[in-house]
Amino acid sequence: MIIFKNPTELQTHLSRLRQAGSDIGFVPTMGALHAGHTALIRHSKKENTVTVCSIFVNPTQFNDIKDFDKYPKTIEADVRLLIAEGNDILFLPEVKDVYPSGTAGLEQYPLGYLETILEGQYRPGHFQGVCQVMKRLLNHVLPKRLYMGQKDYQQCLVVKKLLDEFNGIELIAVPTVREADGLAMSSRNLRLSDTERTKAPAIFRALQEISNNIDKEPLPGLLAKVRSGLQSAGLRPDYVAVASADDLILIDDYNRQPQCIALIAAYLNEVRLIDNMLIEG
Ligand code: AMP
């Protein structure tokens, strides 16, 4: 595996590979890699000649400075895992490489409705930061295919919108990889204490409860019941919602929509976890 820290050197290398006919698959991450990330790498390796993974903890997407400061960093284990997975290139830039003019006064993206709900509502500025970093990373890598996790469903829709600015990059959304007890794998799980870890699968069970009962009882009552179940299990939900899977328009009447999605964000003490589940109509 080749490691690049400098964006210009990465660009030169990738443009040679592109000229030689290589398809480039790109997996952007913030590190502390787990089996969710490796699923993206494996998808990319199957479908492309060259896979580039980036590890960059992007300061502009953290609306909570404590969350940024405490974001897990396990770079040596990450490099070992990427080598074992046969990842071809690791892009490991520093903040000054990604934001050479600093992180103040950056461009704003017209995300409209998507930025006003769910993660957009509870993490003001988060998706602006996602777009700011993704645009820069994509400009360096110029992949043919971009791999992202369905676990961050709203992020996938935001990035899909951003891809309108690029020429034909295909976004592939990879299903969420879970622990045996249903907890969605996440780098933030490393921050959970043993007690918190035992409580965390309540989020997955809550999503199952919504999915299993959505056609049996009125949605507002079901969501309220699930929310209070999470509270009784020791979590503090930001939201428990159901939306149309296409555009995340929130719904309070199920009515057998073709496809909708249940989404939850909840705190376990200081750690904020998110998850979702697609529900076929
Ligand atoms: P992160 O390092 O958390 O920014 O995640 C990098 C990429 O991995 C994003 O596209 C995430 O959606 C994806 N990802 C994170 N956790 C999982 C998971 N459990 N299953 C599948 N993809 C994931």
Side-chain angles (χ1 to χ4, degrees), residues 28-31 34 36-37 40 71 148-149 151-152 155 175-177 185:
T29 81
M30 296 204 296
H34 50 67
H37 298 113
L40 307 191
Y71 201 83
M148 302 190 76
K151 180 179 143 320
D152 299 282
Q155 172 171 271
T176 303
V177 178
M185 294 206 173

Side-chain angles (χ1 to χ4, degrees), residues 73-95:
K73 289 168 194 79
T74 59
I75 189 63
E76 281 160 25
D78 291 352
V79 168
R80 279 198 301 273
L81 183 68
L82 289 172
I83 291 172
E85 287 295 324
N87 181 67
D88 302 294
I89 292 170
L90 170 60
F91 182 36
L92 201 55
E94 290 180 22
V95 174

Side-chain angles (χ1 to χ4, degrees), residues 187-208:
S187 308
R188 287 186 176 86
N189 295 352
L190 290 175
R191 291 181 53 202
L192 298 172
S193 68
D194 289 349
T195 319
E196 289 162 351
R197 175 64 188 81
T198 61
K199 293 180 179 174
I203 296 176
F204 176 66
R205 289 197 298 272
L207 290 166
Q208 282 181 315

